[in-house]
């Protein structure tokens, strides 16, 4: 049937089809007029055409949005589509009232004339939400089991004579499967004929000041969500969403499997579209977004050679030098265990892992540990006594697992001992996993557990002991076991597919942790590739504090120059996520130790990448800091080049500032007033360094514009600041570790002429001192000799000698 030219023609056509009457699927209870039912929520209108099996969605102004969409399933019997002529459709409209909101849901039930696979398609519009939610389910109505590799809750493109109508799209933002692939920013014009595949979600960009669109999975508990986008014509994009189960996933007779909910989300700009998508996912699954790790980990300098004595030495140093600034956790990484699958301490940890946890806790810190729970080595008791708990190849033989490219590679052939995957769909393996985490969390007492090596172990299965369990379901089951055993307080970090475990994990590793080599390799890891820490922090910023806490990288400063160390530390601080030192702390020099102190603790809020859609390697981030006493913007401009000076001109609106106002910019690392900003910010950045600015709206009165305690310049150390107009007095209260001091920088509107005395001398008070350090800069030095809180005041007429 030809594609309708207008919305009016489409609705006229389905009204005629409705008058002819539907072929009702078994058990369907369509309401009156359901075959031609139309849904609307003030943003979208949609309807299902029973003659073609296709869904069509329009904007409220009549513009096409999604045309010719169908649901499909890839099975061992071939590709089945609701658009096939063998299907008869019935539909009804339901009122929904759930965690998302109140709205209407179109339910289409499609009966298979071949008696093999029936579909149910649920399409929902919620009141006040600029989103369309779709979910497809299929039931095996045959007498034999069928293998279902994936479901497609939406397929709209050349094969259906339809597509996603989003004219003006110039860029796509993809996502990767796990930490090692943060996705890509690419030009739509460069899209390959076969399209581009993305995991979990996909962003469509038409301009920073235009509507944004994000399509993505809200549910991934049953399937691993993937999307494919293709250019189909002017303003039309082919879109297919694949809910991947497993190559050998079996759907038994009478059984049902769902794709999970998929959302097309609109917002006034691309940032809000990304953030709204992540927020919806987190809200649906009650995401855990409040536990942030401020800590230390040994991996990037000790690797598997870590020892009990080395951990304790670093923990003692951290307790003295960094705990007062916010460090809490000491995490032991790979290398402590006897074997993968035997997690007791080896000869390098002679006192055992419980002793290690107790010693860390005795220092006032929280113990953390790394575990690869699904990897089983040949010498382990599990392998020796319970081979039935392990993953199998399709021929029934034990499946070897490893990070190598294939089992036929030299790497795999020479591996000793060999490793295998734990299959937790086997009841015995599930019980063993439960006992392991009971030991680690409840008997040993670890309060943070990092899960790793999952991609090439549990998730590498062709099929499981229980073939009716998908890969996503198996992975989530493992986290459900862990969370149930360890309780709600233990921090659980995932180095796997975080969208599967939302609501169970606390933090998610989001970048390729390959910090191996000398200074150049370390710098490249932070800023030098599309998978570097800066790129990952940009392309996945929107998940932070919405679905989980982001973990962008460890902070490794010892091999970097001082400007590079400042840049790496600044980047991790601006992510708002976990801040984990990766250096040998007792050997870290005083300058780099001070840099490290300035990023503890994590503030918790993620900066937006200003150049998100401009590049695939990002270098500008802006964070709006909001406190009860005021708000300001912190901007980090990074220069990845090790040889060339970089100059950037950034418009005020791109930084989230008002173009009609004037702002005071202070250079944190340069310790100087950068100048006034009106309309645009001009920055010159030396090679391999950062310019970190605080931007405060200029008020015309004395105002705090920075501190040197923390890179966010007041976000964690300023408790209160206020200006008293009547007395011309600036008052504040500051927080800091006992027996430390830091400086607060105050801008004075009226420039002061230097004199040999007066305000250019130190003025000492209880707990603080005052001194003009430049014509318009006053320094308040607060000292925490007796208490972690100091109140201070500047009576300006008196201080400037006018009283």
């Amino acid at each position: 049937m030809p594609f309708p030219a207008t919305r009016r023609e489409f609705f006229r056509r389905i009204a005629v089809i409705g008058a002819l009457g539907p072929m009702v699927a078994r058990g369907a209870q369509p309401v009156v007029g359901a075959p031609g039912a139309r849904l609307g929520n003030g943003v979208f209108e949609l309807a299902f055409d029973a003659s073609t099996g296709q869904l069509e969605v329009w904007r409220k102004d009549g513009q096409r949005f999604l045309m010719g969409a169908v649901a499909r399933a890839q099975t061992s019997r071939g590709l089945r589509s609701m658009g096939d002529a063998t299907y008869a459709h019935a539909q009804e409209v339901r009122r929904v009232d759930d965690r998302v909101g109140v709205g209407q849901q179109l339910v289409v039930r499609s009966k298979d004339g071949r008696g093999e696979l029936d579909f149910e398609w649920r399409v929902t519009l919620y009141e006040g939400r600029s989103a369309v939610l779709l979910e497809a389910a299929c039931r095996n109505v045959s007498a034999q089991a069928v293998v279902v590799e994936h479901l497609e809750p939406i397929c709209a493109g050349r094969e259906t004579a339809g597509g996603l109508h989003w004219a003006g799209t110039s860029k796509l933002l993809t996502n990767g499967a796990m930490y090692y692939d943060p996705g890509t920013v690419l030009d739509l014009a460069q899209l390959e004929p076969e399209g581009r595949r993305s995991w979990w979600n996909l962003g469509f960009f038409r301009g920073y000041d235009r509507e944004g669109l994000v399509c993505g999975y809200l549910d991934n508990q049953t399937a691993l969500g993937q999307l494919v986008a293709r250019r189909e014509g002017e303003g039309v994009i082919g879109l297919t969403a694949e809910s991947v189960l497993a190559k050998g996933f079996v759907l038994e007779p009478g059984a049902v499997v769902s794709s999970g909910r998929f959302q097309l989300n609109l917002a006034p700009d691309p940032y809000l579209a990304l953030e709204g998508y992540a927020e919806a996912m987190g809200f649906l699954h009650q995401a855990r977004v409040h536990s942030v790790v401020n800590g230390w980990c040994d991996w990037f300098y000790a690797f598997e050679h870590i020892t009990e004595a080395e951990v304790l030495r670093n923990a003692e140093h951290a307790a003295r030098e960094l705990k007062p600034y916010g460090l809490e956790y000491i995490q032991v990484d790979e290398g402590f265990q006897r074997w993968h699958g035997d997690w007791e301490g080896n000869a390098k940890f002679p006192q055992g892992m419980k002793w290690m946890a107790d010693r860390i806790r005795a220092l006032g810190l929280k113990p953390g540990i790394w575990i690869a729970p699904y990897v089983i080595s040949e010498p382990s008791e599990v392998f020796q006594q319970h081979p039935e708990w392990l993953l199998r190849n399709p021929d029934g033989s034990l499946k070897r697992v490893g990070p190598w490219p294939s089992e036929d590679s030299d790497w795999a052939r020479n591996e000793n001992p060999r490793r295998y995957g734990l299959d937790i769909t086997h009841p015995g393996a599930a019980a063993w996993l439960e006992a392991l985490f009971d030991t680690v969390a409840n008997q040993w007492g670890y309060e943070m557990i990092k899960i790793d090596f999952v991609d090439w172990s549990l998730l590498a299965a062709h099929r499981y002991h229980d073939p009716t369990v998908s890969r996503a379901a198996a992975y989530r089951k493992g986290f459900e076991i862990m969370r149930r055993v360890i309780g709600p307080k233990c921090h659980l970090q995932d180095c796997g597919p975080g969208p599967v475990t939302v609501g169970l994990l606390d933090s998610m590793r989001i970048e390729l942790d390959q910090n191996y080599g000398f200074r150049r390799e370390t710098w490249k890891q932070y800023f030098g590739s599309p998978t570097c820490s800066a790129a990952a922090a940009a392309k996945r910023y929107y998940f932070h504090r919405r679905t989980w806490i982001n973990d962008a990288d460890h902070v490794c400063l010892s091999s970097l120059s001082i400007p590079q160390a400042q840049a790496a530390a600044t980047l991790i601080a601006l992510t708002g996520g976990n801040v984990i030192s990766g250096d040998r702390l007792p050997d870290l020099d005083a300058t780099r130790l001070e840099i490290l102190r300035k990023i503890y603790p994590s503030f918790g809020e993620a900066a937006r990448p200003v150049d998100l859609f401009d590049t695939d390697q990002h270098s500008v981030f802006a964070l709006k800091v909001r406190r009860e006493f005021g708000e300001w913007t912190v901007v980090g401009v990074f220069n990845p080049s090790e040889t060339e000076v970089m100059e950037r001109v950034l418009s005020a609106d791109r930084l989230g500032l008002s173009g009609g106002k004037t702002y005071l910019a202070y250079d944190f690392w340069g310790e100087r007033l950068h100048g006034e900003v009106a309309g645009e910010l001009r920055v010159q950045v030396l090679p391999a360094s950062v310019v970190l600015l605080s931007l405060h709206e200029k008020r015309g009165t004395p105002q705090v514009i920075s501190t040197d305690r923390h890179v966010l310049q007041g976000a964690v150390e300023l408790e209160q600041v206020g200006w008293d107009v009547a007395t011309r007095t600036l008052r504040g209260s500051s927080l800091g570790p006992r027996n430390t001091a830091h400086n607060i920088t105050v801008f004075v509107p009226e420039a002061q002429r230097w004199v040999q005395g007066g305000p250019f001398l130190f003025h000492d008070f209880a707990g603080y001192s005052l001194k003009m350090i430049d014509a318009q800069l006053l320094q308040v030095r607060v000292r925490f000799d007796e208490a972690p809180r100091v109140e201070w005041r500047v009576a300006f007429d008196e201080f400037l000698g006018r009283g």
Side-chain angles (χ1 to χ4, degrees):
M1 183 173 290
F3 202 72
T6 65
R7 178 177 59 165
R8 178 177 298 177
E9 180 183 339
F10 173 74
F11 288 146
R12 180 193 60 77
R13 192 182 76 194
I14 64 169
V16 172
I17 295 169
L20 297 174
M23 291 186 287
V24 182
R26 182 172 53 201
Q29 298 294 325
V31 299
V32 176
R38 299 189 292 272
L39 275 68
N41 67 349
V43 180
F44 295 109
E45 292 185 13
L46 62 83
F48 178 78
D49 186 339
S51 70
T52 62
Q54 295 183 347
L55 176 77
E56 301 184 352
V57 184
W58 306 75
R59 300 292 298 272
K60 65 179 181 180
D61 59 3
Q63 295 183 53
R64 295 172 176 174
F65 179 66
L66 179 66
M67 300 287 110
V70 299
R72 308 193 304 185
Q74 181 66 56
T75 78
S76 55
R77 301 169 185 169
L79 183 65
R80 303 304 311 278
S81 170
M82 288 178 60
D84 294 344
T86 58
Y87 281 95
H89 312 285
Q91 53 189 301
E92 65 172 309
V93 176
R94 297 172 176 169
R95 177 176 171 79
V96 292
D97 186 353
D98 55 24
R99 284 187 59 81
V100 180
V102 176
Q104 288 185 306
Q105 183 179 82
L106 174 66
V107 181
V108 180
R109 298 183 180 90
S110 302
K111 179 178 175 60
D112 185 5
R114 288 161 46 178
E116 295 177 351
L117 201 68
D118 285 357
F119 283 94
E120 182 170 297
W121 207 10
R122 294 180 285 274
V123 188
T124 310
L125 297 179
Y126 289 95
E127 296 174 5
R129 294 184 70 93
S130 301
V132 181
L133 273 70
L134 305 98
E135 181 178 9
C138 61
R139 178 188 298 274
N140 182 359
V141 293
S142 73
Q144 293 81 36
V146 61
V147 171
V148 180
E149 293 184 11
H150 71 254
L151 294 179
E152 297 175 5
I154 178 174
C155 174
R158 189 174 303 127
E159 59 267 62
T160 67
L164 180 66
H165 289 246
W166 198 243
T169 300
S170 59
K171 301 284 185 71
L172 297 179
L173 173 62
T174 71
N175 199 352
M178 297 185 199
Y179 62 94
Y180 48 75
D181 178 10
T184 303
V185 177
L186 70 154
D187 292 332
L188 183 65
Q190 298 175 355
L191 208 61
E192 304 88 345
E194 65 274 16
R196 179 60 66 99
R197 183 172 293 271
S198 179
W199 283 77
W200 319 117
N201 60 284
L202 186 62
F204 299 85
F205 176 76
R206 303 197 296 185
Y208 288 103
D209 58 352
R210 298 186 63 187
E211 272 188 317
L213 169 64
V214 173
C215 303
Y217 281 88
L218 300 180
D219 296 320
N220 293 280
Q221 296 96 324
T222 300
L224 305 173
Q226 299 182 40
L227 299 83
V228 179
R230 300 170 298 275
R231 282 191 302 142
E232 302 288 23
E234 187 64 31
V236 181
I237 299 169
L239 179 66
T240 301
E242 298 178 2
S243 305
V244 180
L245 300 164
K247 287 289 186 182
F249 175 82
V250 174
L251 191 65
E252 298 286 354
V256 177
V257 65
S258 169
S259 66
R261 281 169 289 188
F262 182 84
Q263 177 177 269
L264 296 91
N265 182 64
L266 298 185
D269 65 57
Y271 293 108
L272 291 175
L274 290 164
E275 293 161 10
Y277 161 71
E279 187 173 315
M281 181 193 291
F283 180 76
L284 280 174
H285 302 294
Q286 300 178 301
R288 299 170 56 88
V289 293
H290 300 294
S291 176
V292 179
V293 174
N294 292 283
W296 170 88
C297 174
D298 61 83
W299 176 253
F300 281 121
Y301 80 89
F303 309 110
E304 68 272 22
H305 307 290
I306 188 63
T307 67
E308 180 182 276
E310 183 69 14
V311 172
L312 189 57
R313 182 177 176 226
N314 278 271
E316 290 170 346
H317 195 83
R320 288 194 308 272
E321 303 293 340
L322 294 172
K323 179 175 176 287
Y325 293 86
L327 183 143
E328 296 179 286
Y329 290 86
I330 298 294
Q331 187 233 306
V332 184
D333 216 279
E334 158 109 81
F336 69 88
Q337 73 279 6
R338 295 174 182 170
W339 304 105
H340 293 134
D342 183 348
W343 297 100
E344 295 289 343
N346 56 31
K348 296 179 296 177
F349 286 77
Q351 306 292 335
M353 302 315 294
K354 182 181 186 305
W355 180 90
M356 187 80 264
D358 289 343
R359 288 300 301 270
I360 293 170
R361 195 175 291 105
L363 294 169
L365 299 168
K366 298 178 181 180
I369 198 167
W370 174 95
I371 297 283
Y374 307 119
V375 182
I376 305 296
S377 293
E378 283 180 324
S380 69
E381 181 179 315
V382 171
F383 180 85
Q384 296 292 329
Q385 297 187 15
H386 296 286
E388 71 276 11
W389 294 356
L390 305 179
L391 296 176
R392 301 274 168 169
N393 291 308
D395 63 5
S397 61
L398 287 179
K399 178 179 178 61
R400 286 188 60 198
V401 301
W404 19 260
S406 75
E407 198 169 338
D408 293 331
S409 65
D410 289 341
W411 183 1
R413 282 192 292 268
N414 296 329
E415 186 178 63
N416 185 30
R418 296 185 173 191
R419 294 176 288 183
Y420 300 84
L422 186 72
D423 184 346
I424 59 169
T425 70
H426 190 291
W432 179 86
L433 183 70
E434 182 174 342
L436 170 64
F437 278 82
D438 179 58
T439 297
V440 172
N442 303 324
Q443 297 179 35
W444 293 350
Y446 284 88
E447 299 178 54
M448 178 260 186
I449 304 175
K450 178 180 177 181
I451 308 302
D452 206 356
F453 291 1
V454 299
D455 190 26
W456 47 265
S457 59
L458 181 65
L459 290 169
H462 174 83
R463 66 191 293 176
Y464 296 100
H465 170 76
D466 182 349
T468 67
V469 176
S470 67
R471 286 190 292 169
Y475 194 70
R476 188 167 178 90
K477 176 181 179 179
F479 264 72
E480 288 172 345
I481 292 171
M482 296 173 203
R483 179 56 71 190
R484 184 173 66 249
V485 173
I486 68 178
K489 294 183 179 180
C490 184
H491 186 103
L492 196 55
Q493 183 179 44
D494 191 4
C495 294
V500 176
T501 54
V502 177
L504 300 170
L505 83 164
D506 290 290
S507 65
M508 173 71 183
R509 195 63 187 257
I510 63 167
E511 55 75 51
L512 179 63
D513 55 346
Q514 294 291 312
N515 191 355
Y516 304 126
F518 300 113
R519 175 174 293 181
R520 179 161 294 178
E521 288 75 23
T522 300
W523 181 250
K524 181 180 179 181
Q525 170 60 24
Y526 284 116
F527 295 103
S529 77
T531 60
C532 70
S533 303
K539 289 182 278 194
R540 286 174 163 164
Y541 89 93
Y542 53 94
F543 287 111
H544 179 68
R545 288 292 295 272
R546 295 179 179 90
T547 55
W548 52 66
I549 299 299
N550 276 351
D551 186 331
D553 204 351
H554 292 180
V555 185
C556 302
L557 307 181
S558 60
S559 66
L560 297 173
S561 68
I562 297 303
Q564 288 176 328
Q566 292 170 342
T570 299
L571 173 68
I572 301 306
L574 287 176
T575 70
N578 292 347
V579 175
I580 302 177
S581 169
D583 282 312
R584 191 181 203 189
L585 294 176
D587 294 351
L588 199 63
D589 64 276
T591 301
R592 289 173 178 81
L593 180 63
E594 188 60 28
I595 292 171
L596 188 57
R597 284 173 174 157
K598 292 182 188 299
I599 64 172
Y600 284 120
S602 172
F603 180 56
E605 298 293 335
R608 279 181 171 179
V610 176
D611 53 353
L612 178 56
F613 289 95
D614 300 341
T615 178
D616 205 29
Q617 294 181 225
H618 303 82
S619 60
V620 185
F621 294 81
L623 173 64
K624 180 77 72 175
V625 179
R626 294 180 174 88
R627 298 293 310 277
E628 290 183 0
F629 56 84
E631 67 175 50
W632 61 97
T633 299
V634 176
V635 177
V637 185
F638 301 87
N639 184 357
S641 172
E642 297 184 75
T643 59
E644 298 179 0
V645 175
M646 181 179 78
E647 295 188 4
R648 296 297 299 262
V649 179
L650 303 163
S651 64
D653 62 320
R654 289 286 298 276
L655 297 172
L657 307 175
S658 173
K661 296 181 178 179
T662 299
Y663 297 84
L664 299 169
Y666 186 84
D667 185 336
F668 178 82
W669 295 113
E671 298 181 314
R672 66 185 184 89
L673 186 65
H674 182 82
E676 295 188 358
V677 175
E680 64 181 24
L681 171 67
R682 292 180 175 270
V683 181
Q684 184 180 80
V685 191
L686 296 177
S689 70
V690 62
V691 170
L692 179 66
L693 302 174
S694 64
L695 295 166
H696 290 255
E697 183 182 341
K698 187 177 181 181
R699 298 175 183 167
T701 62
Q703 61 187 109
V704 172
I705 59 171
S706 184
T707 85
D708 64 2
R709 157 66 186 95
H710 193 279
V711 293
L712 298 189
Q713 303 168 67
V716 301
E717 69 274 29
L718 282 176
E719 185 180 55
Q720 188 57 252
V721 177
W723 171 251
D724 188 325
V725 177
T727 62
R728 288 181 46 79
T729 299
L730 185 68
R731 290 185 172 86
S733 57
S734 296
L735 306 175
R738 289 178 184 271
N739 301 314
T740 68
H742 67 254
N743 298 313
I744 301 165
T745 301
V746 177
F747 177 78
V748 180
E750 185 178 339
Q752 303 299 305
R753 185 173 60 86
W754 188 87
V755 295
Q756 193 171 330
F760 294 92
L761 296 176
F762 285 99
H763 294 244
D764 296 322
F765 302 90
Y768 67 98
S769 60
L770 307 176
K771 185 181 188 297
M772 290 296 297
I773 58 172
D774 208 334
Q776 291 185 280
L777 296 181
L778 163 68
Q779 178 180 283
V780 181
R781 184 161 182 81
V782 284
R783 302 181 298 274
F784 303 91
D785 300 330
E786 299 179 359
R789 181 177 181 273
V790 170
E791 293 187 359
W792 50 267
R793 61 188 290 273
V794 186
F796 272 87
D797 288 342
E798 177 184 340
F799 176 69
L800 297 176
R802 298 171 181 170

